[in-house]
């Protein structure tokens, strides 16, 4: 094939990718609008929402996912990394709705909670996985994802221990499969337990692995719970670079016994989720009064909600069970037990740290 | 390459983190400047 033919093929592939990306984007926006309409219409008819907008959005995303899979065009839709983009933009906008003093107060407690819970859950999952005789690399991925922040932590851990692609795909699916029921159940469990919005938010943020489901569960509970859950989760996310660095160090020194190949501390910054900086800047701008409180309420909050709704649609749209069916029951059992332990530990830590007024 | 094409390419090559910062803070700045005052929800 000549160079000209190759260039032509490249251009056609790029054009097809762009068209698929544009159509996927439009589909997400359309589903987000329908989710919003369904939530608002049920509220107008029943006097309360039949289902909160995050749930409508995830359900519509799942329904579209099934329809697209049945039509055989799923690979084109997954070309767009929608969840991460919409979620992170929504979170940057959320920064503008929270006073910087609150971000720092909740973030400081969130960091203490993260260090305590993440450490305990990481080692517990590691030992459970050893007990269930899982592969060492899969063990590292599962321990990182259940303890820290789901898919992003699994990606960081996969880089640290050079895990197989199939392991990463499997753990990424596990994270979402466990996050969805928790997103639905935990806000109602928090209400049934009579937890304050702040403790409920800290519990949700400290327990659910994937950030999108944390924000969704918080939104289902209340506005305050959503803000607290998000800040607590961002505190955990901020630790991801340290966790990846320590894991890589442990891996080469203890497991592989190659101390000459120690990872660089630059890994910490490389893995740091930069959008957290956008969240802090937005919060600082709003706290300085540069955005205008009425504008925040009438423009920033709805914009934030639209981006988050699109992210919730993408959770349903991007879920794939292909990797899930190939790994057997043992990793599933480990993940389940670790999630139960994480739920209990996060509740204790949230109650101890956020239940008092200090 | 057109301006729009260049922007699309730039956005596609940016990580989601930086794209989220640019769009999120860009929208916040537009709200702060009074260019966006009301968004239906």
């Amino acid at each position: 094939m000549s160079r000209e033919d190759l260039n032509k093929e490249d251009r056609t592939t790029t054009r097809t990718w762009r068209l698929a990306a544009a159509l996927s984007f439009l589909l997400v926006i359309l589903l987000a609008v329908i989710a919003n309409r369904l939530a608002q219409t049920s509220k107008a008819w029943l006097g309360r929402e039949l289902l909160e907008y995050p749930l409508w959005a995830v359900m519509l995303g799942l329904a579209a996912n099934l329809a697209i899979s049945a039509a055989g065009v799923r690979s084109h839709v997954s070309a767009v990394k929608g969840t991460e983009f919409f979620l992170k933009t929504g979170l940057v906008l959320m920064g503008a709705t929270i006073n910087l003093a609150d971000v720092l107060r909740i973030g400081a407690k969130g960091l203490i909670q993260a260090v305590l819970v993440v450490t305990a859950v990481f080692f517990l999952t590691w030992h459970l996985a050893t007990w269930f005789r899982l592969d060492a690399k899969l063990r590292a991925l599962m321990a990182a994802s259940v303890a820290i922040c789901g898919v992003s932590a699994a990606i960081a851990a996969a880089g640290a221990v050079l895990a197989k692609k199939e392991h990463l795909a499997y753990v990424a699916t596990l994270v979402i499969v466990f996050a969805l029921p928790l997103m639905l159940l935990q806000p109602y469990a928090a209400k049934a337990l009579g937890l304050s919005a702040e403790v409920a938010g800290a519990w949700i943020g400290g327990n659910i692995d994937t950030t999108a489901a944390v924000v969704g569960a918080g939104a289902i509970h209340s506005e305050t719970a959503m803000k607290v859950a998000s800040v607590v989760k961002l505190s955990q996310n901020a630790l991801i670079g340290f966790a990846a660095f320590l894991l890589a160090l442990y891996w080469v020194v203890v497991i592989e016994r190659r101390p000459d190949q120690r990872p660089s501390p630059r890994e910490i910054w490389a893995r740091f989720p930069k959008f957290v900086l956008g969240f802090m800047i937005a919060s600082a701008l709003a706290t300085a009064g540069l955005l205008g409180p009425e504008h925040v309420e009438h423009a920033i909050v709805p914009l934030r909600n639209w981006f988050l709704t699109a992210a919730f649609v993408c959770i349903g749209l991007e879920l794939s069970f292909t990797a899930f069916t190939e790994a057997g029951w043992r990793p599933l059992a480990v993940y389940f037990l670790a999630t139960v332990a994480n739920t209990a530990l996060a509740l204790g830590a949230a109650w101890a740290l956020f239940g008092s007024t200090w | 390459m057109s301006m729009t094409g260049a922007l699309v390419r730039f956005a596609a090559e940016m990580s989601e983190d930086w794209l989220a910062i640019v769009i999120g803070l860009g929208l916040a700045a537009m709200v702060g400047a009074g260019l966006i005052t009301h968004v239906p929800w």
Side-chain angles (χ1 to χ4, degrees):
Chain A
M1 199 181 275
S2 71
R3 180 176 288 193
E4 216 168 273
D5 286 341
L6 281 171
N7 284 342
K8 203 174 168 188
E9 200 174 302
D10 268 0
R11 277 201 300 275
T12 313
T13 314
T14 311
R15 217 174 292 146
T16 312
W17 186 89
R18 278 186 193 161
L19 182 67
L23 288 175
S24 308
F25 185 78
L26 287 177
L27 176 68
V28 172
I29 302 299
L30 177 70
L31 293 175
V33 171
I34 297 173
N36 169 271
R37 288 294 88 204
L38 285 169
Q40 305 289 352
T41 309
S42 67
K43 198 174 180 180
W45 284 359
L46 303 170
R48 64 178 183 84
E49 285 174 349
L50 178 64
L51 287 177
E52 289 78 2
Y53 75 91
L55 293 176
W56 281 118
V58 172
M59 280 171 40
L60 285 170
L62 277 171
N65 186 347
L66 291 175
I68 287 161
S69 301
V73 290
R74 198 174 183 288
S75 57
H76 295 297
V77 174
S78 57
V80 180
K81 298 173 277 181
T83 311
E84 294 287 302
F85 164 67
F86 288 118
L87 175 71
K88 288 172 179 176
T89 310
L91 284 170
V92 170
L93 287 165
M94 187 189 287
T97 68
I98 312 177
N99 187 290
L100 190 60
D102 285 338
V103 171
L104 297 176
R105 180 180 62 82
I106 299 166
K109 289 184 184 184
L111 272 177
I112 299 171
Q113 179 178 338
V115 170
L116 293 174
V117 178
V118 164
T119 311
V121 175
F122 185 91
F123 286 107
L124 180 79
T125 313
W126 183 277
H127 286 295
L128 272 172
T130 310
W131 195 46
F132 275 78
R133 298 194 305 278
L134 296 191
D135 175 272
K137 290 181 177 178
L138 180 59
R139 211 185 302 163
L141 258 65
M142 288 182 78
S145 62
V146 81
I148 312 171
C149 52
V151 180
S152 331
I155 293 169
V161 304
L162 303 175
K164 290 180 196 163
K165 243 190 222 168
E166 307 88 74
H167 283 164
L168 181 58
Y170 176 66
V171 173
T173 310
L174 264 184
V175 168
I176 307 294
V177 166
F178 275 82
L180 287 180
L182 280 173
M183 173 179 158
L184 175 68
L185 297 173
Q186 215 176 326
Y188 297 107
K191 283 182 184 171
L193 290 170
L195 303 181
S196 68
E198 195 152 317
V199 175
W203 184 32
I204 289 166
N207 181 40
I208 300 180
D209 296 329
T210 191
T211 310
V214 165
V215 181
I220 291 169
H221 187 282
S222 59
E223 176 77 14
T224 305
M226 175 169 67
K227 289 177 179 172
V228 174
S230 302
V231 176
V232 167
K233 195 68 197 169
L234 293 189
S235 311
Q236 272 190 13
N237 287 350
L239 289 178
I240 198 169
F242 291 98
F245 173 73
L246 292 175
L247 185 60
L249 193 63
Y250 177 78
W251 202 261
V252 295
V253 175
V254 180
I255 305 273
E256 296 188 336
R257 298 181 188 281
R258 288 182 296 146
D260 52 310
Q261 291 188 11
R262 283 166 192 258
S264 159
R266 270 181 294 185
E267 183 75 9
I268 296 170
W269 170 246
R271 298 277 177 194
F272 182 80
K274 317 292 185 300
F275 77 96
V276 173
L277 300 175
F279 178 93
M280 302 287 288
I281 294 169
S283 174
L285 291 174
T287 307
L290 294 174
L291 303 180
E294 72 289 354
H295 289 165
V296 168
E297 196 188 329
H298 294 121
I300 298 260
V301 170
L303 277 170
R304 175 201 71 184
N305 290 350
W306 280 116
F307 275 98
L308 295 179
T309 308
F312 302 142
V313 166
C314 290
I315 299 180
L317 204 53
E318 290 175 0
L319 184 62
S320 163
F321 289 99
T322 320
F324 198 56
T325 50
E326 293 164 1
W329 66 272
R330 282 182 299 148
L332 194 67
V334 170
Y335 210 92
F336 174 76
L337 293 172
T339 302
V340 171
N342 194 3
T343 306
L345 283 169
L347 176 60
W351 181 78
L353 288 161
F354 290 84
S356 55
T357 49
W358 64 276
Chain B
M1 188 184 284
S2 69
M3 182 71 173
T4 317
L7 277 174
V8 167
R9 190 169 173 181
F10 178 64
E13 284 171 5
M14 249 178 151
S15 76
E16 296 107 0
D17 280 61
W18 291 113
L19 199 56
I21 290 177
V22 169
I23 294 184
L25 291 182
L27 285 169
M30 287 167 84
V31 170
L35 297 172
I36 305 173
T37 52
H38 180 80
V39 175
W41 169 252

